[in-house]
Amino acid sequence: MRRQTIRRAGVVALAMTGLLGIGLPVQANAEQLASSCLSSFCLYEHDNYTGTEQEFLFTSNGCVNAGTLNNKASSMRNPSAGRIQFYNSANCAGSYGYVAAPRSVDSDLTNNGFDNLTSSVKRVNP
């Protein structure tokens, strides 16, 4: 009986250690995902949604220049229902190089070859 109690206590302690080990990164990720960008589209100067934040409010499908983040954007959030096309030229000239799906995030634009290249963005309904 005593051996069973000790074994159970060990299993509970191991489970609690696992939960605590998993809980901290999840909490950190939740803090990273918190933003003022709730319904519009946002670009960020650095990876992981840090640095200068530029918020874009689209009233219809249209093109908007990147402003202060011209050729400086490294991450993005798109909580909107629209698809966002990224262009490396002002006024959405030429073909687009990256598309942000509706309700998506990308913490590092390097992985798709568009880090520090965005000059303008265009919202397109899916």
Side-chain angles (χ1 to χ4, degrees):
M1 184 73 163
R2 179 169 165 75
R3 199 179 275 172
Q4 260 185 337
T5 303
I6 292 172
R7 194 174 300 145
R8 284 185 191 148
V11 169
V12 169
L14 183 60
M16 292 301 289
T17 302
L19 286 175
L20 290 174
I22 293 169
L24 294 176
V26 169
Q27 183 179 8
N29 288 340
E31 289 171 4
Q32 279 181 341
L33 292 176
S35 169
S36 62
C37 188
L38 300 176
S39 61
S40 56
F41 171 75
C42 293
L43 287 175
Y44 298 86
E45 182 180 13
H46 302 302
D47 295 345
N48 299 314
Y49 324 107
T50 60
T52 301
E53 177 186 79
Q54 178 81 30
E55 185 171 1
F56 299 86
L57 300 172
F58 295 97
T59 55
S60 64
N61 293 353
C63 178
V64 180
N65 289 327
T68 60
L69 289 182
N70 184 38
N71 295 325
K72 295 179 182 177
S74 292
S75 55
M76 71 87 198
R77 293 178 203 268
N78 182 19
S80 77
R83 197 175 52 157
I84 307 295
Q85 297 173 337
F86 291 57
Y87 295 81
N88 63 1
S89 298
N91 303 313
C92 300
S95 59
Y96 57 89
Y98 174 68
V99 176
R103 297 172 197 73
S104 66
V105 296
D106 193 337
S107 64
D108 185 358
L109 295 174
T110 302
N111 61 357
N112 53 48
F114 226 71
D115 190 40
N116 297 318
L117 292 177
T118 305
S119 290
S120 56
V121 292
K122 182 178 184 179
R123 184 181 191 273
V124 180
N125 287 328

